[in-house]
Amino acid sequence: MIAVDKVLYTARATAHGGRDGHTASDDGKLDVTVAPPKEMGGNGEGTNPEQLFAAGFASCFHSALKVVGRRARQDVDHSTVTAEVGIGPIHSGAGYGLEVQLVVSLPDVDRAIAEDLVAKAHEVCPYSNATRGNIKVDLVVA
């Protein structure tokens, strides 16, 4: 288990209605209707937890990439990170699990260096550290 030395910030959000309800942060900056995607029997009218997780993971990983890029004196200003979060049954239907693919574009960086930066960002990113050993996370340098 990874524990932080000192908590710098705590996010708080409250959900009502689960996958078919409403979620809001305590500071009012996040306020969304949540609905299952059509592929999972929902109407697709709201966002879903996997989209929120994808947005958070992509943003966090991109910040980590910028940190390691600066340390390596590499231009990552035009980089992007796209997170694809999949959900599906595990253990013969006993529950559900997630898997993630992070697609990283570093157009101004040599491929070998880009691959090294992505691997290092994966060590720095808090989402990567939280998911490591728990869910499948594939890293793709586009």
Side-chain angles (χ1 to χ4, degrees), residues 2 27 31 43 53 68 70 94 98 114 139 141:
I2 297 174
D27 62 4
D31 191 342
N43 63 16
F53 186 69
V68 299
R70 277 192 303 273
L98 300 174
L139 304 173
V141 178

Side-chain angles (χ1 to χ4, degrees), residues 26-78:
D26 66 340
D27 62 4
K29 293 183 180 182
L30 176 70
D31 191 342
V32 296
T33 298
V34 182
K38 290 180 181 180
E39 297 84 353
M40 292 181 63
N43 63 16
E45 294 294 320
T47 191
N48 60 67
E50 292 70 40
Q51 289 171 320
L52 296 169
F53 186 69
F57 206 155
S59 296
C60 185
F61 195 90
H62 198 242
S63 289
L65 183 65
K66 290 167 63 177
V67 167
V68 299
R70 277 192 303 273
R71 288 179 186 164
R73 293 187 169 88
Q74 293 295 316
D75 179 8
V76 298
D77 288 342
H78 299 105

Side-chain angles (χ1 to χ4, degrees), residues 6 12-13 18 20 23 30 33 41 48 55 72 79 82 106-107 113 124 126 137:
K6 178 182 175 185
R12 182 175 292 111
D20 200 4
T23 301
L30 176 70
T33 298
N48 60 67
S79 60
T82 301
L106 287 150
I113 294 171
V124 171
V137 177

